[in-house]
Structures are given as structure tokens and as C-alpha cells.
Amino acid sequence: MTPTEIVPVPPTGCECGCGEFGDLRAFYTHQHIELPEIQVQVRHFVLQEGECTNCGRTCKGVIPKGFQVGYGSRLTGLIGELSASQRSSRSAVKEFCQSVLDIPISNGGIQRCIDRVSEAILPHYVAIAERARSAVVNFIDETSWYRHGLLCWLWVMANCSVAFTSIKASRSKKAFEELIEHWAGILVSDGYGVYRKWAHLRQTCIAHLIRKALGIAERKDPVTARFGERMASELRRLTHWANAPPTQGEVSTWYARMCHLIASHKDRKDEVGRLAKQLEREMADLWVFLLEDGVEPTNNRAERALRFAVLWRRMMQGSFNEKGDRWVERILSLRETCRLRGLPIYPVLVEALNCSFQNQTPDVSWL
């Protein structure tokens, strides 16, 4: 970290008793970090009134532009950061403000700050959606979400630069189409039926198939377990090719083994047969990552984007109304996008709030 002060520390003395030293030079730097005493800036705008010396009419002062809301952009952004990135409840944020900042604030005041952050980052959310829907490759997944106990679904559309999240009432094809709108690129997903009907190129998540195969490998029946072990081994070999591209001969040999393994088990009426038939249907979608740039063999990118939302759902029990859904969508999209780009989210929130308080449009060109 950049130092605010540099303190040279010369030797205190030598064992021989001499206290003078020549050619002093640095050999080690010890960094000590401390917070300054937090002194909150409290500015009182004392509105005055007076009579016009010309007409006698009483005129009143008005609060300057940018200061009408009562809480500044840095404090409002901090409350948004605590409520989102730290998944803190309103009561926890209230306690933090009182204990650390010595600011008394009600739960209603905290909610108003969150609402302002949500409104301020709307331009970022729109820009993230546009960027996601214009990408060549997208990783898409969904997880359950609850709005005041009502089951909904939180969808994510992620790539290497942005992550766009949206809460929908269902997990249907219609919800999927609302998420992607006009997008028609390469889809990376699990084997959910809505994704399997994708009309364009699709890479199925091999990690999901490996987990299914490993589950079968744990069965007591030796024939069933042997199929699971062999299938997991072949699928792992396929994923390894993402880092070490195979030769044509290796691909042909692997394909022949897979076809033989599927053909000899697909007529079974149990989980072995179901997995074999699924692999037969999705064979063409297993190796798109070998043919197209930017495609990965698993859907881990989307699952990582959803991980924070899953933890939020467990801790906060979802949201309570549609306004809460919009807050979750916007802050999760911005947070994950900042994470993908290696950027802290707090400065982005502060800049967005500064623009919002001044009725200006924030700069979203970095997206």
C-alpha cells in the first residue's frame, strides 16, 4: 500500500559500544496500518428568510443542490456496500453506524439509502444487460429465489466481462427469452430442457455430467458402478483437453469409446440408461469448447456468479417485494461485474450517487 508517512529507523547502537554509523541504507520495510479517528462531517444548512427590500415579500433560502437527501454519497454508498456485499441486515447496518461511525440512523433511514443506491446504479444495470446481450458467448444458469415466501427464480447471464442477473416469476422458456431478448450467441449451460432446445451452438456443462457419472459409480451393483467410473473417466479426459488440445487420432479414439459405451447401456431402464441416452442426445454439444474461442467445458462461470446470491438467499431469506427484487438484480449484477474486472464496488457506488444527487448520468463507458 502507498505509505502516508515514511519513518527512517537507524540502528540504535553496536555491540562494540559505538553509536555512529555510515552509509545508512534500507534493508527491510515494516508496514503498520491504522485507521484515523473517524470524525463524521455534519453540515447544518441553516435556511434563512427575509423580506425583500424592494417589494417586502418574504423570501426563503433553499437547500443547495446535491444536499437535499440528508446523507452524503460516501455514507449512502457505505450503507449500500454493507447491505449488499456484506449481506448485512438493516439492524446490523444500524448497529455498525452507531458503534463505528457514531451515527444514529433508523431502519427506515437505511432503507431510504438503499433505495437511492438502487436508483443510482440503474444506468450501470442497463449497460451490463446490453453488454451481456451483445456477447458472443454467455454462461447461463438459474437458482431458486423467494419473494416474501413466494418461489421465484434468479437467472444469471455471465461472460468474461459482465454478469447480468434478473429475477423472474418462473423457470420457463418465456422467462429465459425475457432474459436473453435478442441474443443469439453460443450458450454454455447445464442440461435443463429449456437450454437443450437452443437453436444455436451450445456447450453442455461437462461437470454436471461427471457428477451424475460419479453418483452412478457409487452404486453397489458392479456393472452399474463400472459404467459410472468409465463414463466419469472419459468425461474428465474431455475436460482436460481445454488446456491440452488433442490430436485428431485422440479425438477419434475417444469418440469411438464413448459411442460403444453409450450403445451398450442406453437400452437400460434405470439411471444408467437415462445418462447414456442423455449423452447420446448431447454428443454434439460436448466439445464445442474445442472449436470456438471463449467457450469453456463447464458452466462454472455462471455458477460462481450465482454463489453470492445463494448465500444471500440463505442469510436474508430472499426479498420482500418487487422493489427488493430490483435492488437485488442491480447490486448483484454490478458486484459480480466489478469482481470479474478486479475492481472494488464502493468507488463505483459513490460515483454513481454523486451523479444521481446532481441529476447527472454516470459514466458507464468502462463497462
Side-chain angles (χ1 to χ4, degrees):
M1 297 179 66
T2 303
T4 56
E5 182 183 7
I6 298 177
V7 181
V9 183
T12 55
C14 181
E15 293 180 356
C16 70
C18 176
E20 297 182 2
F21 305 92
D23 191 23
L24 290 176
R25 57 196 176 276
F27 74 96
Y28 177 75
T29 298
H30 171 74
Q31 188 173 68
H32 178 75
I33 303 174
E34 176 62 295
L35 282 174
E37 181 180 355
I38 300 176
Q39 185 68 41
V40 177
Q41 297 177 352
V42 181
R43 185 178 302 175
H44 284 192
F45 291 91
V46 181
L47 304 185
Q48 299 177 333
E49 65 178 11
E51 287 68 36
C52 175
T53 58
N54 182 42
C55 66
R57 180 182 301 169
T58 299
C59 298
K60 298 182 179 181
V62 296
I63 302 173
K65 184 179 180 180
F67 295 94
Q68 295 93 339
V69 296
Y71 298 110
S73 57
R74 297 187 65 82
L75 176 58
T76 304
L78 177 61
I79 291 174
E81 168 85 1
L82 292 172
S83 301
S85 295
Q86 306 307 318
R87 301 182 294 271
S88 299
S89 66
R90 306 296 183 267
S91 298
V93 175
K94 176 181 177 179
E95 182 179 348
F96 176 88
C97 291
Q98 180 67 65
S99 176
V100 178
L101 305 176
D102 195 24
I103 297 176
I105 185 172
S106 66
N107 287 350
I110 293 170
Q111 184 60 53
R112 285 191 292 274
C113 288
I114 292 173
D115 292 343
R116 290 173 189 135
V117 176
S118 180
E119 186 65 27
I121 63 176
L122 177 57
H124 296 80
Y125 182 69
V126 172
I128 290 171
E130 292 176 353
R131 183 67 180 270
R133 290 164 177 158
S134 62
V136 176
V137 181
N138 270 309
F139 300 72
I140 297 181
D141 204 355
E142 78 293 327
T143 188
S144 56
W145 187 262
Y146 295 94
R147 181 196 302 145
H148 204 57
L150 178 67
L151 176 63
C152 299
W153 294 88
L154 188 147
W155 296 73
V156 66
M157 185 178 185
N159 52 58
C160 61
S161 59
V162 298
F164 171 59
T165 60
S166 181
I167 297 176
K168 306 293 183 184
S170 69
R171 197 188 179 200
S172 63
K173 179 181 178 182
K174 180 181 178 182
F176 173 65
E177 291 174 345
E178 289 175 354
L179 175 76
I180 66 172
E181 290 190 355
H182 57 272
W183 180 71
I186 302 174
L187 170 64
V188 183
S189 71
D190 57 27
Y192 179 45
V194 169
Y195 304 137
R196 291 203 304 268
K197 297 176 182 178
W198 185 241
H200 309 281
L201 279 178
R202 183 178 81 89
Q203 168 67 49
T204 192
C205 179
I206 301 177
H208 281 77
L209 298 173
I210 291 175
R211 286 198 287 269
K212 285 185 178 181
L214 290 176
I216 294 174
E218 295 176 354
R219 302 295 180 261
K220 292 182 180 180
D221 178 56
V223 177
T224 299
R226 177 58 178 162
F227 170 82
E229 292 170 359
R230 291 182 60 190
M231 188 58 71
S233 176
E234 295 298 343
L235 292 172
R236 284 198 187 103
R237 180 177 289 107
L238 181 59
T239 60
H240 292 164
W241 288 346
N243 299 316
T247 63
Q248 184 61 46
E250 289 173 328
V251 172
S252 299
T253 303
W254 178 88
Y255 184 77
R257 287 197 305 268
M258 282 290 289
C259 289
H260 174 73
L261 196 57
I262 291 171
S264 58
H265 292 84
K266 67 178 182 179
D267 292 332
R268 292 181 55 162
K269 304 302 181 182
D270 56 5
E271 59 184 341
V272 171
R274 289 193 295 271
L275 178 58
K277 285 192 282 286
Q278 179 183 354
L279 287 166
E280 185 178 45
R281 287 193 306 267
E282 301 193 50
M283 181 64 75
D285 299 329
L286 291 178
W287 48 41
V288 176
F289 71 95
L290 294 175
L291 307 175
E292 302 290 339
D293 293 335
V295 181
E296 299 171 9
T298 71
N299 199 28
N300 287 346
R301 188 177 293 276
E303 293 184 344
R304 285 194 298 268
L306 284 177
R307 185 175 184 275
F308 186 85
V310 171
L311 295 175
W312 189 336
R313 182 190 65 205
R314 291 176 181 175
M315 295 178 63
M316 307 295 288
Q317 305 303 310
S319 51
F320 290 91
N321 49 42
E322 291 191 11
K323 183 178 71 172
D325 288 350
R326 304 293 83 78
W327 158 244
V328 170
E329 292 173 340
R330 296 169 189 178
I331 196 65
L332 287 183
S333 297
L334 183 58
R335 180 188 180 278
E336 182 63 19
T337 296
C338 287
R339 188 191 69 82
L340 290 171
R341 294 167 176 264
L343 299 173
I345 188 175
Y346 178 66
V348 179
L349 296 180
V350 173
E351 192 269 340
L353 286 161
N354 281 331
C355 293
S356 178
F357 292 161
Q358 298 293 331
N359 294 322
Q360 298 175 354
T361 302
D363 179 21
V364 295
S365 60
W366 59 278
L367 293 167

